[in-house]
Amino acid sequence: MKKIFLLIEFIFSFCFGYSNEFTFKHVDVFNNLPNSRTLSIIKDKQGFMWLGTVSGLVRYDGYRLKVYLHDSNDSLSLPNNYIKKIMEDQYGNLWIKAGNYGYILYDSHTEQFVEDPYKLFSRLELNRKPDEVYIDTHYNIWIYSANHGLFLVPKDSSSFSSQLITKEALPKGQISDIKEYKEDILLVYNDGTIAYIDTKHLKIKMILSEISNEVNDIAHFSAYVDNEGDIWIHGASRLWQYKIVNNQWECVRKQFYEKNSVRALIQDNHGNIWVGLDHEGIEIINKSLGNTKRLNHLPNDKRTLPNDNISTLYKDKDGTIWVGTQKKGLAYYNEKVFKFSFYPIGDVNCVEDGGTNGVWLGTNDNGLKYLDFEQGNVKDYPLINYTNQKLSKVIVSLLKDSTNRLWVGTFLDGLYCLDGKHVKHFINMKHDENSLANNSVWALSKDEDNNIWIGTLGGGIQCYNSIGNVFTTYNSTNSHLVYNLNSATL
């Protein structure tokens, strides 16, 4: 008995407009990640995924992993294996923040790390390593030094010349994050203060101090700007949203996020905000409706999140959302690739076209079923109102002919023909040559004259002319067939 185990997949409508179940693909420590804790993710111009872990840098091409580690005997290796941040400049070079060492450059052409990247910084007359580096969507490089201020290195600056906003012109305090806001730049301080920088005139346009006044504490604050221009700030066990529509801050679900620290934010292609949590997986916020949905790891289900400790989120240009976790490596989700939910129905032996709304399924132990795409469910044949006749539970072959009749071959129960109104049943009749040669119909096919060709288990091959109701049999006795066992017809 041939058996093909299939997980039939179909679409469930989700209140946000997509699948009710999110299917993730895992890339974890068992696939040679140096460490299962991923801190940063980026996709470069060549299509490589770069993963920053606490124990090294990883390049992922979709099939294989290449690991970069510190080697004390190699001056061109990573200076530190703790990779906090990865960015790409206009030339395809990677700017990598490595532990206490600070920033190092990876030359994508030579595939080597620049031995002394601070020669570049020395042109800015920095007397210490920069505290933060940010590359905007125009490939301008923003370099912040607490001792000097904020440097802008324009995209086309071949000599690495820069412009400077002095530290005296900036708010006091330590900058913990830099983000792009439309054509300008946001500086996020570790007390929650936000400085809005006018990039054309290199001056402060606005200072937002509502969060710092509310929190009155020092923490690591990070920012995310969504497609609608709303600013999201997380830190100090809180999440805030600055709604551009009414220019007001809102502390989002304060009691929940005080207990569940936010680690990362990203917006999907539907405009929903994905919130990566420290111990509670991912919460998806529907901005339009205001409701939420939680994604969590489910034991023994490799299609869910690998772990509920989320450390970073990243969306590439293809809309794929990459999830870095604290303990179980990396996972990714793309609704175009994984747009179906899995629905197990057992062993499926055959599948046939069921029209624009679905497909017919012949199962090994559950009879004939119809997968309805429109209604999003699977129907047993007895529920389809043709007649009260019940089919065999073992379906091994299916065929839709040119008149849209469905032919159903079974194991030990003959052949059925369904025309939408009636069911016709063919079985082997002893001493009747114009009957089915064997009650196990292993294969079905049709020719240009709409004759039905039947491959049986032990009775040879038959051609059935439905107009004249005539069976023509070809077996090892009357033809050149070697065996009467036929599992395929052309």
Side-chain angles (χ1 to χ4, degrees), residues 259-263 276-281 307-311 326:
K259 298 178 181 178
N260 302 280
S261 298
V262 177
R263 295 300 182 191
L277 302 171
D278 190 23
H279 294 288
E280 294 294 332
N307 183 267
D308 283 336
N309 299 76
I310 309 301
S311 56
Q326 295 277 3

Side-chain angles (χ1 to χ4, degrees), residues 190-343:
N190 63 359
D191 66 349
T193 299
I194 301 170
Y196 189 159
I197 305 298
D198 182 339
T199 58
K200 289 184 178 179
H201 303 95
L202 285 184
K203 65 179 183 180
I204 295 176
K205 192 183 239 182
M206 184 190 310
I207 293 178
L208 303 174
S209 56
E210 289 88 344
I211 293 176
S212 61
N213 291 337
E214 178 183 338
V215 174
N216 194 26
D217 193 10
I218 300 299
H220 184 89
F221 288 89
S222 298
Y224 179 78
V225 180
D226 67 26
N227 295 331
E228 293 73 43
D230 289 356
I231 303 170
W232 299 76
I233 302 292
H234 62 92
S237 299
R238 307 240 188 115
L239 175 64
W240 293 268
Q241 178 187 4
Y242 184 78
K243 295 184 177 180
I244 196 67
V245 175
N246 52 19
N247 293 324
Q248 288 185 349
W249 285 102
E250 176 185 333
C251 189
V252 182
R253 300 186 65 196
K254 180 178 179 181
Q255 291 182 345
F256 174 79
Y257 290 119
E258 281 182 343
K259 298 178 181 178
N260 302 280
S261 298
V262 177
R263 295 300 182 191
L265 293 162
I266 207 72
Q267 187 174 31
D268 66 21
N269 288 343
H270 296 277
N272 303 302
I273 302 298
W274 290 44
V275 184
L277 302 171
D278 190 23
H279 294 288
E280 294 294 332
I282 293 173
E283 183 167 75
I284 300 178
I285 301 174
N286 185 315
K287 289 186 64 181
S288 301
L289 301 178
N291 56 11
T292 63
K293 180 177 179 65
R294 186 75 59 78
L295 304 183
N296 290 106
H297 166 71
L298 296 178
N300 303 318
D301 190 346
K302 293 184 178 180
R303 299 172 291 119
T304 62
L305 287 171
N307 183 267
D308 283 336
N309 299 76
I310 309 301
S311 56
T312 186
L313 295 170
Y314 173 78
K315 187 181 80 169
D316 64 25
K317 292 181 179 180
D318 298 324
T320 301
I321 295 179
W322 298 78
V323 182
T325 69
Q326 295 277 3
K327 298 179 180 179
K328 289 292 183 179
L330 181 73
Y332 60 90
Y333 165 79
N334 186 312
E335 63 171 331
K336 294 180 181 179
V337 178
F338 309 117
K339 62 182 178 181
F340 297 117
S341 298
F342 290 88
Y343 189 77

